[in-house]
Amino acid sequence: MAAFAQTLRDFGRHATNLNKTLVDEILPEHYRDDYPNLITFLDAYYEFLDSAENFGGIIEELQTIRDIEDTKLRYLDLLFDELGLGISEGQFITPREVIRNFGNFFRVKGSEYSVHGFFRAFFNEEIEITYPKERLFIVGKSRVGTEDAKVIQDGRLFQVFSTLIRGPIPLVQWEQLYRNFVHPSGFYLGAYVVLESEPQVPITTGISIPYINPNINVFSSAALTYAAEGEAIGALGSFRPLPEPGIAKTISGYRVAYYGLDGQDSDQINNEALLYVNRDYVAESYAGELERFYLRDRYNLYRNFDAFGSMTIFELEEYYSSMYELSGFWVSFDDKIDATGASSNNVPNSAVKFSSTNDTFDARVWYRK
Amino acid sequence: MSTVIKSSELDFQNIKESLKDYFKSKSEFADYDFEASGLNNLLDVLAYNTHLNGLTANFAINESFLPTAQLRSSVVSHAETLGYEVRSITTSKAVVNLSVNMSGVVGRRPQIQLPVGWTFTSSIDGISYTFRTQESYFAKDDGTGTYIFKDSKGSSNIPIAEGIEKTKTFLVGEKNERQVFVIPDETMDIATAKVLVYNNAGSTGYQTYIPLKKAVTIDKDSRVFSVREAPNGHYELNFGDGVSFGKKPDPGQKVVVTYLSSKGPLADNGTVFTSNSDFNHLGNDYPVVVTTQTESTGGANKQTIESIKQLAPIAYAAQQRLVTSLDYKGTILSNFTDVTDCNVWSGDQNIPLDYGAVYVSLNFADGISDTVKENTKAQIIGQFTDNLSVVSITTKYTDPTELFLELTLGFNFDPSLTGFSLSATESTVYRFMNRYFSENLNKFEKIFRRSNMLTEVDAIDQAILSSKCDVKAQLRFEPTIGDKRTFELNYPMSIAPPDPYTYIVQSSTFEYEGTLALIRNKLSSTRLQVTDIDGNVLLDNVGEYFPATGLVKIVGFTPEAFIGGFDYIKVSVVPLNESVIKPLRNYVIKLDETLSYATATLDRQNTTSTV
C-alpha cells in the first residue's frame, strides 16, 4: 500500500500499455496477401505515433503528469507554480520531497520550524535563529555590566519584534524568498553571515580546560557538568559527565532525553538543554534565573495552557516534537525541583511559562504541577 | 511562470521530416524513395494526422496545470483543488437610511417591520437597476410618528443589493444517485444563495442549510451546502455525503434555492434610490424615505481566468492565515472587489520604521467615495486581519503615492522607409508611451525599465532607426497660500548628485514676490533656491536635497499664488539611474503626459556627409 501511496505508477510490474495495432484487423483480409508492405508501413507509423515524444507517449504521460513522484521535472515546475508560489524546482536538491511538504510548510509558516525548514529546503544549509530581545537591557531587571552583555534597544535589530538569523548565506540571496515564504510581516529581519574557520591555537595547560558545546544554550554555570577536553560531548552516546562532589549522579537512562533528537531540525539545542534538566544537574544548585533554559522551538497558539500546567518537563519533552512555536515567542520552563519532589518517572516536577517578552521568570505565578 | 507547454513538435514540415527519418531508420524501409509522389502523398496524410494528434496532446497537457490551462473550466477546477473558491458575479451594494413618516396617524403601531426583499430602483447611465433588502428591518415610533428602520445591532445603515431574486426548486432523487442540482444561470451571485429543504413536495416545514464555509464543525448531520461553478459556466448546488461530510437530503425532499441574479459592475455608482412601493399601514400607504449613505459599489463580473491563476496559489500558500505580506495581499484581492490593486509590506521595510505593524496600500476602482473606501478598510481589519494575522501585529493603511515620470523620448527617423510622416510617427510614438504606461505600469510593484520601452519603440516602425529617452521623476506637494510650511518629498530612488551645468531638482512655476518663480537646486550644490524664470535668486535657501536617500526637503515655503489652475506644485528630479525606476512600497509609477514628449530627428542614413 505504501508504494501506491507514493506514486500512481506501479513500479513492480510492467508498464501498463493498452496499445494494440489494429491495422491488420481493420484492413480487408486480402490486403495481408496483396499489400503486406502497406500493413508493415502503417504498423511502423503507429509505432512512431506511440513513441515517447509523440502523441501516444504524451497521452500515456497524462496518467501520471500530476503525480509528484513520477512526473517529469519540467512538469514538476508547473506544480511548483501551483503549490510553491512559482519557485523553480531547480532551486531544490530534492524537489519532489519539497513539493510534497509545501502544504505542511505553509501551515506552520512563521514558526522556527518553518525557518529551519526554509533554509534546509531552499539552500541546504543549517542556520541559527536568535531573538535579540533576549539581550535587551531592561531597567530594574537586567544587571549593568559587560558580563551580562545586555544592549539598549536601538529601534532596529534590538527591539521586541526582531529575528536574527545567523548562517553562511548573505542576506541578499535569500531575503525576498524568505519574506514571501516565511517572514512574519511586521518583524524586523536581521542576518549575520557566519564566516567559519578553525585555526589551531597551540596552547598547553596543566589542567583540563572544559569544553563547552556551543550548541548548548546554557547561560552558565557551576552546576553543569563538562566533558573533559577532547571528549566529544556532541557525539551522542559517548558522553559521560565527570563525577564531581555534590553533583555526581547515576547516568543510567539519560539517553531517554535524546529520544527525539533526530538531527533534522532545531531540536538539538533544546534537547541537550533538556538533558541537563532531566538529569536534574542544574536543579542541584539552582540559583534562579541563570539556570533557566529556553524551549523556544515550538509553541502552538491553540495550545490549552491549562493542559501545559499539568505537565512535567519530561512530559513536555514528549509533547515537544509535535508543537509549533511561532517565531518570536518562546516557552521557558523552570528547572527547580518542586516541593512535591520527583514524579513517578524520576523527573522533577516543573513549571512552564509562555512569554513574548524577556521578563523575569517567576515560575510560581505560572503553571506548576 | 510558464503559460504554455509545447510537449510535441507542432510544425508540419518538421513532423513530416521526423516521420521520414523514422521510416528510414527501419530496415524494411531503408531503400524506399520517400520523395516519390505516391509515398510522399501518403506521408502528407500521416503527417497531418500526427499534427492533429500532437495538437490534441498539447491541449490535454496544457489543461493539466493551473498556470497553462486555457479553458475556464480547467482553471476553475485546478483552483478548487487548491481550496480556492472562485468568485461568481458579485452584486453591487449600497447603504441607505430608510424611514417612514406617519405623524398624525391615529392608532399607529409602536413598531413596524420592513420585510425582506423590499425593492428600490436606481437609474445609472439611463438604465434602471433593482436593489433590495436581504433581511427584514424594524423601526420604532420615535413619538412623533417618524419610524427609522434599524438592523439588529441598532444601526440605521441598511445595505441593499442589486439583483433580481430568483428561485429554483428541485426534488431529490434516488438515494444512490449522486445529487447534483444544476442552477442554469451564469448571473448568479453565489454569496446570496439561500437553501431550504422541505420534507416533501407539498410540505410547508423546512430546514435551512448554511454555506459550507460558514460551518464551524461538520459531521454527518450538518446541514451545509456549497455552490461551485460548473464547466459550462452555470452553477452546481452540492450537499454533504451523509456519512461524514454533512447531511445528504433524502429522496423525495424538495430543495429550494433562492439567489440574486445580478448585473455585476453595471449597477455600480448608483447614488439615488427610490422605493418601488409605499409602506402600507392600517390600510393606508406612506412613502418610504430613502437617504443614500454610500453609493452602490462592489459589483463585479465573474473572476477572470488571470485573476484565478494569480490568486489561487497565493491563497493556498496563505492557508487561511496572514503571516507574510503576500498572504495579506492575496486575501485582500480575493475578497474585496472594490480594491483593484494592493501592496503590503512589513513595518521593518517602512519609512519610518514601525515594528509590529503591517502596512497596506489600496487602489480602489474609479468613482469610489471616501466613505466606501473607509468602510472597506474597516472590513479588511474586522473580517480578516484581526482574526487571521499574527497576534500583536497591527494593520495600518497608507494611501498610494503617485510617482510621475517625465519622458523626453527622441528617435532617429528615416522617412524613406515608411509611408508615414515624421509628425505622424511622433504622434504614434507619443500614443505608444501612454499605452505602454497604462498596460505595464500604473500599478503597485510595476517597475519602469527604459530599455524595455525603447525596444518596443524601435519596433513600432522600421523607419525608427534608434531611440533614446531622458527620464525625470516627479512628486507633487500642496502648499497653502500664506502659510509657510516644510515639505519632505521622498523619492523611491537615489537622486543624481549636483552638477555644474544641469539643474537636478526643479519645480513647476508659481507666483513668488509678484513674479513667476520656481524652486531648483543651486548648480553644483544640493541647496534649493527660489528663482525667477530668468535665474535671478529670490530666496537663497529654501531647503536641500539629499541625493543618496532621495529626499527633497523644502523648508518654510509658501507661494503667493498657483499657476495653471492647479493647487499643487510639481517637483522633478533627475534619478541617479534613469534606466530603472522601482516603485517601492506604496508608490505607483505613472506618466505625466503634459511633460512627456516624443521627438523625431531626420536620419536618412547618409554616411557621406560631413558633420
Side-chain angles (χ1 to χ4, degrees):
Chain A
M1 189 62 201
F4 288 106
Q6 289 177 353
T7 177
L8 296 174
R9 177 167 293 181
D10 183 356
F11 286 110
R13 298 169 187 270
H14 291 296
T16 308
N17 186 352
L18 302 177
N19 293 329
K20 179 189 175 189
T21 177
L22 296 175
V23 174
D24 199 21
E25 298 174 22
I26 288 174
L27 290 177
E29 202 170 326
H30 68 91
Y31 271 56
R32 248 181 280 168
D33 301 326
D34 298 342
Y35 310 108
N37 285 347
L38 178 63
I39 292 175
T40 311
F41 184 80
L42 290 176
D43 279 342
Y45 169 67
Y46 282 106
E47 196 180 304
F48 166 78
L49 210 55
D50 286 338
S51 58
E53 293 303 316
N54 227 311
F55 173 75
I58 294 168
I59 291 298
E60 195 172 336
E61 277 182 359
L62 281 175
Q63 294 181 56
T64 56
I65 199 166
R66 292 185 65 86
D67 181 351
I68 290 169
E69 303 299 332
D70 198 28
T71 192
K72 292 176 179 174
L73 286 180
R74 60 177 166 148
Y75 297 138
L76 202 61
D77 248 351
L78 276 301
L79 288 172
F80 269 102
D81 282 341
E82 289 181 23
L83 305 173
L85 294 177
I87 193 84
S88 167
E89 59 85 15
Q91 176 76 44
F92 308 103
I93 295 172
T94 55
R96 295 178 201 276
E97 176 69 16
V98 170
I99 200 170
R100 199 169 43 228
N101 284 295
F102 256 125
N104 292 331
F105 176 76
F106 285 136
R107 275 190 283 279
V108 297
K109 73 168 106 173
S111 67
E112 275 199 18
Y113 180 78
S114 71
V115 178
H116 286 286
F118 170 82
F119 282 97
R120 256 184 236 121
F122 282 68
F123 299 101
N124 197 30
E125 294 288 355
E126 293 295 334
I127 49 90
E128 180 189 350
I129 309 166
T130 57
Y131 302 106
K133 65 185 176 185
E134 294 171 4
R135 292 184 55 201
L136 286 184
F137 181 87
I138 298 172
V139 176
K141 295 179 180 176
S142 306
R143 289 189 302 190
V144 178
T146 54
E147 63 274 12
D148 275 12
K150 296 292 186 186
V151 298
I152 296 173
Q153 178 166 319
D154 67 354
R156 296 186 71 87
L157 181 61
F158 289 102
Q159 42 90 33
V160 174
F161 294 106
S162 174
T163 309
L164 176 63
I165 292 174
R166 299 161 66 98
I169 317 165
L171 177 67
V172 68
Q173 288 185 20
W174 54 265
E175 181 181 5
Q176 196 52 51
L177 278 175
Y178 182 82
R179 285 186 184 278
N180 281 349
F181 282 87
V182 182
H183 184 59
S185 200
F187 277 67
Y188 180 84
L189 172 63
Y192 285 166
V193 178
V194 179
L195 303 175
E196 288 187 84
S197 65
E198 295 181 354
Q200 297 295 316
V201 183
I203 296 176
T204 57
T205 175
I207 58 172
S208 167
I209 299 175
Y211 169 77
I212 303 175
N213 185 341
N215 287 330
I216 298 178
N217 188 19
V218 175
F219 291 175
S220 66
S221 71
L224 290 175
T225 300
Y226 300 124
E229 181 184 11
E231 188 169 0
I233 192 171
L236 305 180
S238 64
F239 166 57
R240 295 289 183 277
L242 292 177
E244 290 182 21
I247 59 171
K249 296 287 180 185
T250 172
I251 59 172
S252 62
Y254 79 90
R255 283 170 181 272
V256 172
Y258 281 134
Y259 82 98
L261 191 65
D262 57 11
Q264 295 300 307
D265 57 26
S266 58
D267 291 348
Q268 185 169 351
I269 294 171
N270 298 295
N271 263 334
E272 290 189 301
L274 279 168
L275 168 68
Y276 285 100
V277 180
N278 258 350
R279 300 296 309 139
D280 77 7
Y281 295 148
V282 176
E284 197 69 32
S285 60
Y286 178 76
E289 190 177 354
L290 285 181
E291 281 76 36
R292 183 177 59 192
F293 296 102
Y294 293 99
L295 181 61
R296 292 181 309 218
D297 281 16
R298 295 162 180 182
Y299 159 86
N300 191 328
L301 283 177
Y302 303 103
R303 175 73 191 164
N304 182 341
F305 286 4
D306 289 337
F308 255 126
S310 63
M311 294 171 77
T312 65
I313 288 175
F314 187 84
E315 290 163 337
L316 178 63
E317 184 194 14
E318 287 188 314
Y319 177 74
Y320 170 52
S321 61
S322 61
M323 290 194 299
Y324 300 109
E325 184 194 357
L326 198 66
S327 188
F329 294 77
W330 68 70
V331 182
S332 60
F333 53 91
D334 189 5
D335 47 275
K336 187 176 182 181
I337 294 180
D338 191 88
T340 58
S343 62
S344 58
N345 56 10
N346 205 27
V347 172
N349 289 329
S350 305
V352 180
K353 178 193 179 186
F354 298 84
S355 174
S356 63
T357 59
N358 196 20
D359 51 358
T360 301
F361 178 47
D362 182 355
R364 288 169 185 79
V365 304
W366 296 87
Y367 300 95
R368 179 179 275 284
K369 185 174 181 181
Chain B
M1 180 185 290
S2 308
T3 53
V4 174
I5 310 168
K6 279 185 72 175
S7 293
S8 66
E9 180 56 64
L10 294 178
D11 181 79
F12 175 78
Q13 279 304 331
N14 288 343
I15 290 173
K16 190 175 173 185
E17 290 305 315
S18 299
L19 192 54
K20 212 182 288 180
D21 292 343
Y22 184 80
F23 280 123
K24 284 178 180 174
S25 69
K26 297 276 182 185
S27 57
E28 306 97 293
F29 309 108
D31 58 345
Y32 276 43
D33 179 7
F34 290 97
E35 306 303 328
S37 61
L39 206 47
N40 194 36
N41 287 343
L42 193 52
L43 278 180
D44 276 347
V45 173
L46 296 180
Y48 273 120
N49 185 53
T50 308
H51 187 224
L52 284 173
N53 284 334
L55 280 174
T56 308
N58 276 288
F59 291 152
I61 286 193
N62 274 292
E63 295 306 312
S64 299
F65 297 99
L66 178 66
T68 55
Q70 305 296 314
L71 298 174
R72 181 177 177 86
S73 55
S74 304
V75 173
V76 169
S77 176
H78 287 306
E80 283 180 345
T81 63
L82 296 177
Y84 186 73
E85 184 179 281
V86 175
R87 198 180 61 227
S88 68
I89 199 166
T90 306
T91 59
S92 182
K93 295 182 184 67
V95 176
V96 295
N97 293 156
L98 303 174
S99 63
V100 174
N101 188 348
M102 288 189 277
S103 59
V105 175
V106 178
R108 62 179 185 257
R109 295 195 187 112
Q111 178 172 284
I112 57 176
Q113 180 183 6
L114 190 73
V116 62
W118 194 269
T119 60
F120 307 83
T121 297
S122 182
S123 178
I124 300 159
D125 294 334
I127 301 174
S128 292
Y129 295 92
T130 301
F131 289 72
R132 64 189 62 233
T133 55
Q134 291 186 283
E135 54 186 281
S136 56
Y137 297 95
F138 292 90
K140 290 180 179 174
D141 185 355
D142 69 348
T144 67
T146 300
Y147 294 80
I148 299 174
F149 291 97
K150 294 182 178 178
D151 64 16
S152 57
K153 293 177 182 172
S155 171
S156 59
N157 289 334
I158 309 293
I160 54 176
E162 180 273 330
I164 306 296
E165 188 172 274
K166 291 186 177 177
T167 300
K168 286 291 294 179
T169 303
F170 306 93
L171 282 177
V172 181
E174 290 300 317
K175 190 94 176 174
N176 293 331
E177 292 177 0
R178 178 174 175 255
Q179 305 288 313
V180 176
F181 307 97
V182 177
I183 303 165
D185 189 348
E186 291 197 50
T187 64
M188 174 187 189
D189 179 351
I190 61 175
T192 64
K194 292 175 182 173
V195 174
L196 305 177
V197 177
Y198 292 78
N199 288 334
N200 53 58
S203 171
T204 55
Y206 60 83
Q207 293 174 321
T208 303
Y209 281 56
I210 63 169
L212 179 63
K213 66 180 181 181
K214 289 186 179 176
V216 179
T217 59
I218 297 176
D219 56 28
K220 65 182 176 59
D221 296 320
S222 302
R223 293 195 292 270
V224 294
F225 72 89
S226 63
V227 181
R228 63 177 294 272
E229 188 177 324
N232 63 357
H234 295 162
Y235 289 92
E236 288 180 1
L237 176 65
N238 290 282
F239 294 96
D241 57 5
V243 179
S244 60
F245 197 65
K247 188 172 173 58
K248 182 180 182 181
D250 295 324
Q253 286 190 318
K254 183 175 73 175
V255 174
V256 178
V257 55
T258 311
Y259 63 91
L260 289 185
S261 167
S262 172
K263 303 288 185 189
L266 296 176
D268 279 353
N269 300 318
T271 54
V272 178
F273 299 89
T274 310
S275 175
N276 287 348
S277 52
D278 291 338
F279 190 86
N280 186 280
H281 185 59
L282 303 175
N284 296 313
D285 288 339
Y286 302 92
V288 176
V289 180
V290 185
T291 309
T292 304
Q293 290 301 307
T294 65
E295 74 279 17
S296 57
T297 61
N301 289 319
K302 278 184 177 181
Q303 191 170 5
T304 63
I305 288 177
E306 286 312 309
S307 171
I308 299 168
K309 286 182 177 182
Q310 180 198 1
L311 295 176
I314 297 177
Y316 175 72
Q319 294 285 334
Q320 284 289 322
R321 301 174 66 207
L322 296 178
V323 178
T324 67
S325 299
L326 202 58
D327 298 340
Y328 283 78
K329 183 174 180 175
T331 301
I332 291 170
L333 288 176
S334 290
N335 291 283
F336 294 91
T337 52
D338 285 340
V339 178
T340 56
D341 193 17
C342 163
N343 199 20
V344 182
W345 61 96
S346 171
D348 74 321
Q349 297 172 301
N350 192 58
I351 296 176
L353 293 166
D354 187 3
Y355 304 113
V358 173
Y359 279 80
V360 179
S361 192
L362 305 174
N363 248 338
F364 288 89
D366 292 338
I368 301 286
S369 68
D370 289 343
T371 309
V372 173
K373 289 177 183 175
E374 292 308 312
N375 286 347
T376 302
K377 290 175 182 176
Q379 284 173 19
I380 290 171
I381 290 178
Q383 295 176 17
F384 291 95
T385 65
D386 275 357
N387 297 326
L388 302 177
S389 66
V390 175
V391 287
S392 78
I393 299 294
T394 55
T395 304
K396 295 183 178 179
Y397 291 103
T398 184
D399 289 332
T401 298
E402 293 178 332
L403 177 75
F404 290 91
L405 297 191
E406 301 169 8
L407 304 186
T408 305
L409 194 153
F411 60 92
N412 284 25
F413 177 76
D414 185 346
S416 65
L417 297 178
T418 181
F420 295 104
S421 68
L422 182 142
S423 60
T425 309
E426 283 180 338
S427 298
T428 302
V429 172
Y430 179 79
R431 284 197 303 275
F432 165 79
M433 281 199 301
N434 282 281
R435 195 173 68 248
Y436 183 86
F437 270 70
S438 64
E439 290 175 357
N440 298 290
L441 296 146
N442 288 0
K443 283 191 151 195
F444 292 117
E445 299 185 284
K446 295 294 182 185
I447 298 171
F448 172 76
R449 297 186 188 277
R450 183 172 57 180
S451 63
N452 289 358
M453 187 187 72
L454 292 179
T455 301
E456 294 195 36
V457 169
D458 291 349
I460 289 175
D461 194 312
Q462 58 181 351
I464 298 175
L465 305 174
S466 59
S467 57
K468 63 170 187 169
C469 185
D470 294 329
V471 179
K472 284 187 175 182
Q474 174 207 107
L475 290 174
R476 300 169 179 183
F477 71 101
E478 298 178 10
T480 309
I481 305 294
D483 181 15
K484 284 188 177 178
R485 287 164 56 196
T486 295
F487 302 91
E488 291 190 354
L489 305 179
N490 286 293
Y491 292 81
M493 72 281 164
S494 296
I495 301 173
D499 182 281
Y501 309 106
T502 314
Y503 295 104
I504 303 300
V505 179
Q506 189 157 310
S507 78
S508 57
T509 53
F510 49 86
E511 191 176 315
Y512 190 84
E513 293 186 353
T515 186
L516 205 58
L518 54 93
I519 295 172
R520 61 187 177 192
N521 69 301
K522 184 181 178 184
L523 291 175
S524 299
S525 169
T526 58
R527 192 200 310 166
L528 301 179
Q529 299 175 318
V530 178
T531 71
D532 63 20
I533 54 174
D534 296 322
N536 300 311
V537 176
L538 303 176
L539 180 60
D540 185 49
N541 189 345
V542 71
E544 190 180 1
Y545 87 94
F546 301 86
T549 58
L551 172 65
V552 172
K553 190 171 184 179
I554 300 168
V555 180
F557 170 73
T558 180
E560 289 173 354
F562 295 107
I563 304 292
F566 304 112
D567 58 356
Y568 55 81
I569 293 173
K570 301 175 179 178
V571 178
S572 309
V573 302
V574 178
L576 179 63
N577 180 1
E578 295 181 44
S579 301
V580 181
I581 308 290
K582 292 183 179 177
L584 303 176
R585 301 180 295 279
N586 60 326
Y587 289 86
V588 178
I589 293 180
K590 295 190 170 183
L591 180 70
D592 187 334
E593 298 172 18
T594 62
L595 293 175
S596 296
Y597 311 96
T599 311
T601 302
L602 267 181
D603 182 350
R604 297 188 186 278
Q605 305 189 66
N606 185 345
T607 58
T608 57
S609 300
T610 56
V611 176

